[in-house]
Coordinates of all heavy atoms in Angstrom, one line a residue:
M30 N 0.9 -1.1 0.0 CA 0.0 0.0 0.0 C 0.9 1.2 0.0 O 1.9 1.4 0.8 CB -0.8 0.0 1.4 CG -1.8 1.1 1.3 SD -3.0 0.9 2.8 CE -3.6 2.5 3.0
A31 N 0.6 2.1 -0.8 CA 1.5 3.4 -0.9 C 1.3 4.2 0.3 O 0.2 4.4 0.8 CB 1.0 4.2 -2.2
S32 N 2.3 4.9 0.6 CA 2.4 5.8 1.9 C 1.7 7.1 1.4 O 2.0 7.6 0.4 CB 3.7 6.0 2.3 OG 3.8 7.0 3.4
T33 N 1.1 7.7 2.4 CA 0.5 9.0 2.0 C 1.4 10.1 2.8 O 1.0 11.3 2.8 CB -1.1 9.2 2.5 OG1 -1.1 8.9 4.0 CG2 -1.8 8.3 1.7
F34 N 2.5 9.8 3.3 CA 3.4 10.5 4.1 C 3.9 11.7 3.1 O 4.3 11.4 2.1 CB 4.5 9.9 4.7 CG 5.6 10.7 5.3 CD1 5.3 11.4 6.4 CD2 6.8 11.0 4.7 CE1 6.2 12.2 7.1 CE2 7.7 11.8 5.2 CZ 7.5 12.4 6.5
Q35 N 3.7 13.0 3.7 CA 4.4 14.2 3.0 C 5.2 14.8 3.9 O 5.0 15.0 5.0 CB 3.2 15.2 2.7 CG 2.0 14.5 1.7 CD 2.7 14.4 0.3 OE1 3.4 15.2 -0.2 NE2 2.3 13.1 -0.3
I36 N 6.5 15.1 3.5 CA 7.6 15.7 4.3 C 7.1 16.9 5.0 O 7.5 17.2 6.2 CB 8.8 15.9 3.6 CG1 10.0 15.9 4.6 CG2 8.9 17.0 2.7 CD1 10.2 14.6 5.3
Q37 N 6.2 17.6 4.4 CA 5.7 18.9 5.0 C 4.8 18.7 6.3 O 4.6 19.5 7.1 CB 5.1 19.9 4.0 CG 3.7 19.2 3.5 CD 4.1 18.5 2.1 OE1 5.1 18.1 1.9 NE2 3.0 18.5 1.3
D38 N 4.5 17.5 6.4 CA 3.6 17.0 7.5 C 4.5 16.7 8.8 O 4.0 16.5 9.9 CB 2.7 15.9 7.2 CG 1.7 16.2 6.2 OD1 1.3 17.4 6.0 OD2 1.2 15.2 5.5
A39 N 5.8 16.4 8.5 CA 6.7 16.0 9.6 C 7.0 17.2 10.6 O 7.2 18.3 10.2 CB 8.1 15.6 9.0
A40 N 6.9 16.7 12.0 CA 7.3 17.8 13.0 C 7.6 17.0 14.2 O 7.0 15.9 14.5 CB 6.0 18.6 13.2
C41 N 8.6 17.3 14.9 CA 9.1 16.6 16.2 C 7.8 16.4 17.1 O 7.7 15.4 17.7 CB 10.1 17.3 16.9 SG 11.8 17.2 15.9
T42 N 7.0 17.4 17.1 CA 5.9 17.3 18.1 C 4.9 16.2 17.8 O 4.2 15.7 18.7 CB 5.1 18.6 18.2 OG1 4.3 18.5 19.3 CG2 4.4 18.9 16.9
K43 N 4.9 15.7 16.5 CA 4.1 14.6 16.2 C 4.8 13.3 16.0 O 4.4 12.2 15.5 CB 3.4 14.8 14.8 CG 2.5 16.1 14.8 CD 1.7 16.3 13.5 CE 2.8 16.8 12.4 NZ 2.0 17.1 11.2
C44 N 6.1 13.3 16.5 CA 7.1 12.1 16.4 C 7.0 11.2 17.6 O 6.8 11.8 18.7 CB 8.4 12.5 16.1 SG 9.7 11.2 16.0
T45 N 7.1 9.9 17.4 CA 7.2 9.0 18.6 C 8.3 9.2 19.5 O 8.2 9.0 20.7 CB 7.4 7.6 17.9 OG1 6.3 7.3 17.0 CG2 7.4 6.5 19.0
F46 N 9.3 9.8 19.0 CA 10.5 10.0 19.9 C 10.6 11.3 20.5 O 11.6 11.6 21.2 CB 11.8 9.8 19.0 CG 11.8 8.3 18.3 CD1 11.5 8.3 16.9 CD2 11.9 7.2 19.0 CE1 11.5 7.0 16.3 CE2 11.9 5.9 18.5 CZ 11.6 5.8 17.1
F47 N 9.7 12.2 20.4 CA 9.6 13.5 21.0 C 9.0 13.5 22.4 O 8.0 12.9 22.6 CB 8.8 14.4 20.1 CG 8.8 15.8 20.6 CD1 9.9 16.7 20.5 CD2 7.6 16.4 21.2 CE1 9.8 18.0 20.9 CE2 7.6 17.7 21.6 CZ 8.7 18.6 21.5
E48 N 9.7 14.0 23.4 CA 9.2 14.2 24.7 C 9.1 15.7 25.0 O 10.2 16.3 25.3 CB 10.1 13.4 25.6 CG 9.6 13.6 27.1 CD 10.5 12.8 28.1 OE1 11.4 12.2 27.7 OE2 10.3 13.1 29.3
L49 N 8.0 16.2 25.2 CA 7.8 17.7 25.5 C 8.3 18.0 26.8 O 8.0 17.2 27.8 CB 6.3 18.0 25.4 CG 6.0 19.4 25.7 CD1 6.6 20.4 24.5 CD2 4.4 19.7 25.7
R50 N 9.2 19.0 27.0 CA 9.8 19.4 28.2 C 9.6 20.9 28.3 O 10.4 21.6 27.8 CB 11.3 19.1 28.2 CG 11.5 17.5 28.5 CD 11.1 17.2 30.0 NE 11.3 15.8 30.3 CZ 12.2 15.3 30.9 NH1 13.4 16.1 31.3 NH2 12.4 14.0 31.1
A51 N 8.5 21.3 29.0 CA 8.4 22.8 29.1 C 9.6 23.5 29.8 O 9.8 24.6 29.6 CB 7.1 23.0 30.0
A52 N 10.2 22.8 30.6 CA 11.4 23.4 31.3 C 12.5 23.8 30.4 O 13.2 24.7 30.6 CB 12.0 22.4 32.4
A53 N 12.6 23.1 29.2 CA 13.6 23.5 28.2 C 13.3 24.8 27.4 O 14.2 25.4 27.0 CB 13.7 22.3 27.2
G54 N 12.0 25.2 27.5 CA 11.6 26.4 26.8 C 10.3 26.1 26.0 O 9.9 25.0 26.0
P55 N 9.6 27.2 25.7 CA 8.4 27.0 25.0 C 8.5 26.2 23.7 O 9.4 26.5 22.9 CB 7.8 28.4 24.7 CG 9.0 29.3 24.9 CD 10.1 28.6 25.7
D56 N 7.5 25.3 23.4 CA 7.7 24.4 22.3 C 8.9 23.7 22.1 O 9.4 23.4 20.9 CB 7.4 25.3 21.0 CG 6.0 25.9 21.0 OD1 5.1 25.3 21.6 OD2 5.8 27.0 20.5
L57 N 9.7 23.3 23.2 CA 10.9 22.7 23.1 C 10.7 21.3 23.8 O 9.9 21.1 24.7 CB 12.1 23.4 23.7 CG 12.5 24.7 23.0 CD1 13.7 25.3 23.8 CD2 13.0 24.5 21.5
G58 N 11.5 20.3 23.2 CA 11.3 19.0 23.8 C 12.7 18.3 23.6 O 13.6 18.8 23.1
L59 N 12.7 17.0 24.0 CA 13.9 16.2 23.9 C 13.7 15.2 22.8 O 12.6 14.6 22.7 CB 14.1 15.4 25.3 CG 14.3 16.2 26.4 CD1 14.5 15.4 27.6 CD2 15.4 17.3 26.3
C60 N 14.7 14.8 22.0 CA 14.6 13.7 21.0 C 15.1 12.6 21.7 O 16.3 12.5 22.1 CB 15.4 14.1 19.8 SG 15.4 12.8 18.6
R61 N 14.4 11.5 21.7 CA 14.7 10.2 22.3 C 15.1 9.2 21.3 O 15.2 8.0 21.6 CB 13.6 9.7 23.2 CG 13.2 10.5 24.4 CD 14.1 10.4 25.5 NE 13.6 11.2 26.7 CZ 14.3 11.0 27.8 NH1 15.3 10.3 28.0 NH2 13.7 11.8 28.8
Y62 N 15.4 9.6 20.1 CA 15.7 8.6 19.1 C 17.0 7.8 19.4 O 17.1 6.6 19.3 CB 15.8 9.3 17.6 CG 16.0 8.2 16.5 CD1 15.0 7.4 16.1 CD2 17.3 7.9 16.2 CE1 15.2 6.4 15.1 CE2 17.5 7.0 15.2 CZ 16.6 6.2 14.6 OH 16.8 5.3 13.8
N63 N 18.0 8.5 19.7 CA 19.3 8.1 20.0 C 19.6 8.1 21.5 O 19.0 8.8 22.2 CB 20.4 8.8 19.3 CG 20.5 8.4 17.8 OD1 20.5 7.3 17.5 ND2 20.4 9.5 16.9
P64 N 20.6 7.4 22.0 CA 21.1 7.6 23.4 C 21.5 9.0 23.7 O 21.9 9.7 22.8 CB 22.2 6.6 23.5 CG 22.1 5.6 22.4 CD 21.4 6.5 21.2
P65 N 21.7 9.3 25.0 CA 22.2 10.6 25.4 C 23.6 10.8 24.8 O 24.3 9.9 24.6 CB 22.2 10.6 26.9 CG 21.3 9.6 27.2 CD 21.3 8.6 26.1
V66 N 23.9 12.0 24.6 CA 25.3 12.4 24.0 C 26.0 13.4 24.8 O 25.5 13.9 25.8 CB 25.2 13.0 22.6 CG1 24.5 12.0 21.6 CG2 24.3 14.3 22.6
T67 N 27.3 13.6 24.6 CA 28.1 14.6 25.2 C 28.1 14.5 26.8 O 27.6 15.4 27.4 CB 27.5 16.1 24.8 OG1 27.4 16.1 23.4 CG2 28.7 17.1 25.2
Q68 N 28.5 13.4 27.2 CA 28.7 13.1 28.6 C 30.0 14.0 29.1 O 31.1 13.6 28.8 CB 28.9 11.7 28.9 CG 28.8 11.4 30.4 CD 28.8 9.8 30.6 OE1 28.9 9.1 29.6 NE2 28.7 9.4 31.8
P69 N 29.7 15.0 29.9 CA 30.8 15.9 30.2 C 32.0 15.2 31.1 O 33.1 15.6 30.9 CB 30.3 17.0 31.0 CG 28.9 16.8 31.2 CD 28.4 15.5 30.4
S70 N 31.6 14.3 31.9 CA 32.6 13.6 32.7 C 32.1 12.2 33.0 O 30.9 11.9 32.8 CB 32.9 14.4 34.1 OG 31.8 14.4 34.8
A71 N 32.9 11.4 33.5 CA 32.5 10.0 33.8 C 31.4 9.8 34.7 O 30.5 8.9 34.6 CB 33.7 9.2 34.3
D72 N 31.3 10.9 35.7 CA 30.2 10.7 36.7 C 29.0 11.6 36.5 O 28.2 11.8 37.2 CB 30.8 11.0 38.1 CG 31.4 12.4 38.2 OD1 31.7 12.9 37.2 OD2 31.7 12.7 39.4
A73 N 29.0 12.3 35.3 CA 28.0 13.1 34.8 C 26.9 12.4 33.9 O 27.3 11.4 33.2 CB 28.5 14.4 34.2
H74 N 25.7 12.8 33.9 CA 24.7 12.3 32.9 C 25.0 12.9 31.5 O 25.5 14.1 31.4 CB 23.3 12.7 33.4 CG 23.0 12.0 34.7 ND1 22.6 10.8 34.7 CD2 22.9 12.5 35.9 CE1 22.4 10.4 36.0 NE2 22.5 11.4 36.8
G75 N 24.7 12.2 30.4 CA 24.6 12.7 29.1 C 23.5 13.5 28.9 O 22.6 13.7 29.6
F76 N 23.4 14.2 27.8 CA 22.3 15.1 27.4 C 21.4 14.5 26.3 O 22.1 14.0 25.3 CB 22.8 16.4 27.0 CG 23.6 17.2 28.1 CD1 25.0 17.2 28.0 CD2 22.9 17.6 29.2 CE1 25.7 17.8 29.1 CE2 23.6 18.3 30.2 CZ 24.9 18.4 30.2
W77 N 20.2 14.7 26.3 CA 19.3 14.4 25.2 C 19.3 15.6 24.3 O 19.1 16.7 24.8 CB 17.9 14.0 25.6 CG 17.9 12.9 26.5 CD1 17.8 12.8 28.0 CD2 17.8 11.4 26.1 NE1 17.8 11.6 28.4 CE2 17.8 10.7 27.4 CE3 17.8 10.8 24.9 CZ2 17.8 9.3 27.3 CZ3 17.8 9.4 24.9 CH2 17.7 8.7 26.1
P78 N 19.3 15.5 23.0 CA 19.2 16.6 22.1 C 17.9 17.4 22.3 O 16.8 16.7 22.4 CB 19.3 16.0 20.7 CG 19.9 14.7 20.8 CD 19.5 14.2 22.2
V79 N 18.0 18.7 22.4 CA 16.8 19.5 22.5 C 16.4 19.9 21.1 O 17.2 20.4 20.2 CB 17.1 20.8 23.4 CG1 15.8 21.7 23.4 CG2 17.4 20.4 24.8
V80 N 15.1 19.7 20.8 CA 14.6 20.1 19.5 C 13.3 20.9 19.6 O 12.6 20.9 20.7 CB 14.3 18.8 18.7 CG1 15.6 18.1 18.3 CG2 13.3 17.9 19.4
A81 N 13.0 21.7 18.7 CA 11.8 22.5 18.7 C 10.7 21.6 18.0 O 10.8 20.7 17.3 CB 11.9 23.7 17.8
A82 N 9.5 22.0 18.5 CA 8.2 21.2 18.1 C 8.1 21.1 16.6 O 7.7 20.0 16.1 CB 7.0 21.8 18.8
Q83 N 8.5 22.1 15.8 CA 8.3 22.1 14.5 C 9.6 21.6 13.7 O 9.5 21.7 12.5 CB 7.8 23.4 13.9 CG 6.5 23.8 14.5 CD 5.4 22.7 14.2 OE1 5.2 22.3 13.1 NE2 4.7 22.4 15.3
D84 N 10.7 21.2 14.4 CA 11.7 20.6 13.7 C 11.3 19.3 13.2 O 10.3 18.7 13.5 CB 12.9 20.4 14.7 CG 13.7 21.7 15.0 OD1 13.6 22.6 14.2 OD2 14.4 21.7 16.0
W85 N 12.2 18.6 12.5 CA 12.0 17.2 12.0 C 13.4 16.7 11.5 O 14.3 17.5 11.3 CB 11.0 17.1 10.9 CG 11.3 17.8 9.7 CD1 11.0 19.1 9.3 CD2 11.9 17.3 8.5 NE1 11.4 19.4 8.1 CE2 12.0 18.3 7.5 CE3 12.4 16.0 8.1 CZ2 12.6 18.1 6.3 CZ3 13.0 15.9 6.8 CH2 13.0 16.9 6.0
C86 N 13.5 15.4 11.4 CA 14.7 14.8 10.7 C 14.3 13.6 10.0 O 13.1 13.1 10.0 CB 15.8 14.6 11.9 SG 15.5 13.0 12.7
G87 N 15.3 12.9 9.4 CA 15.1 11.7 8.7 C 14.7 10.5 9.4 O 14.2 9.5 8.8
H88 N 14.7 10.6 10.7 CA 14.2 9.4 11.6 C 12.8 9.7 12.0 O 12.3 9.0 12.8 CB 15.0 9.4 12.8 CG 16.5 8.9 12.5 ND1 16.9 7.8 11.8 CD2 17.6 9.6 12.6 CE1 18.1 7.8 11.7 NE2 18.7 8.9 12.2
Y89 N 12.1 10.8 11.5 CA 10.8 11.1 11.9 C 9.8 9.8 11.7 O 9.8 9.1 10.7 CB 10.2 12.2 11.0 CG 8.7 12.4 11.2 CD1 8.3 13.0 12.4 CD2 7.8 12.2 10.2 CE1 6.9 13.3 12.6 CE2 6.5 12.5 10.3 CZ 6.0 12.9 11.5 OH 4.7 13.2 11.7
N90 N 9.2 9.6 12.8 CA 8.2 8.4 12.9 C 6.9 8.9 13.4 O 6.8 9.1 14.7 CB 8.8 7.4 13.7 CG 8.1 6.0 13.8 OD1 7.3 5.7 12.9 ND2 8.1 5.2 14.7
P91 N 5.9 9.0 12.6 CA 4.6 9.5 13.1 C 4.1 8.7 14.2 O 4.1 7.4 14.1 CB 3.8 9.5 11.8 CG 4.7 9.5 10.7 CD 5.8 8.7 11.2
Q92 N 3.5 9.3 15.2 CA 3.0 8.5 16.4 C 1.9 7.5 15.9 O 1.8 6.4 16.3 CB 2.4 9.4 17.4 CG 3.5 10.3 18.1 CD 2.9 11.4 18.9 OE1 1.7 11.7 18.9 NE2 3.8 11.9 19.6
A93 N 1.1 7.9 15.0 CA 0.0 7.1 14.5 C 0.6 5.8 13.8 O 0.1 4.7 13.9 CB -0.8 7.8 13.4
A94 N 1.7 6.0 13.1 CA 2.3 4.8 12.5 C 2.9 3.8 13.5 O 2.8 2.5 13.3 CB 3.4 5.1 11.4
A95 N 3.5 4.4 14.5 CA 4.0 3.5 15.6 C 3.0 2.8 16.4 O 3.1 1.7 16.7 CB 4.8 4.5 16.6
Q96 N 1.8 3.5 16.6 CA 0.7 2.9 17.3 C 0.1 1.8 16.4 O -0.2 0.7 16.9 CB -0.3 4.0 17.7 CG 0.1 4.8 18.7 CD -0.7 6.1 18.9 OE1 -1.7 6.3 18.2 NE2 -0.5 7.0 19.9
A97 N 0.0 2.0 15.2 CA -0.5 0.9 14.2 C 0.5 -0.3 14.2 O 0.0 -1.4 14.2 CB -0.5 1.5 12.8
G98 N 1.9 -0.1 14.4 CA 2.8 -1.1 14.4 C 2.6 -1.9 15.7 O 2.7 -3.1 15.6
L99 N 2.4 -1.2 16.8 CA 2.1 -1.9 18.1 C 0.9 -2.8 18.0 O 0.9 -4.0 18.5 CB 2.0 -0.9 19.1 CG 3.4 -0.2 19.6 CD1 3.1 0.9 20.6 CD2 4.4 -1.2 20.1
R100 N -0.2 -2.3 17.3 CA -1.3 -3.1 17.3 C -1.0 -4.3 16.3 O -1.5 -5.4 16.6 CB -2.5 -2.2 16.6 CG -3.1 -1.3 17.6 CD -4.5 -0.7 17.1 NE -4.3 0.0 15.9 CZ -4.1 1.4 15.8 NH1 -3.9 1.9 17.0 NH2 -4.0 1.9 14.7
A101 N -0.4 -4.1 15.3 CA 0.0 -5.2 14.4 C 0.8 -6.2 15.1 O 0.6 -7.5 14.8 CB 0.6 -4.8 13.1
A102 N 1.8 -5.8 16.0 CA 2.7 -6.7 16.6 C 1.9 -7.4 17.8 O 2.3 -8.5 18.1 CB 3.9 -6.0 17.2
G103 N 1.0 -6.7 18.4 CA 0.3 -7.3 19.6 C -0.7 -8.3 19.1 O -1.1 -9.2 19.7
Ligands
SF4_220 S1 14.7 14.9 15.6 FE1 13.8 13.4 14.3 S2 13.6 11.5 15.6 FE2 13.9 13.3 17.0 S3 11.9 14.0 17.7 FE3 12.4 15.1 15.8 S4 11.7 14.0 14.0 FE4 11.7 12.7 15.8

């Protein structure tokens, strides 16, 4: 079945891997696609990339598609 995905519809805020964090700033959140990065020292925590709600990248995964996949797998 052909995909109806259009790149102009992509936005971090609609992605499975986006976690809204109001403390980061208005319309900002964390991208959870990859593990944390830039660990400043061995005993410090790494950082999750901060992205804007309307950003997007090539790993964009619409939440609806992920939910459909979970239903299919379950
Ligand atoms: S940066 Fe990419 S993977 Fe991360 S939340 Fe945005 S679209 Fe999703």
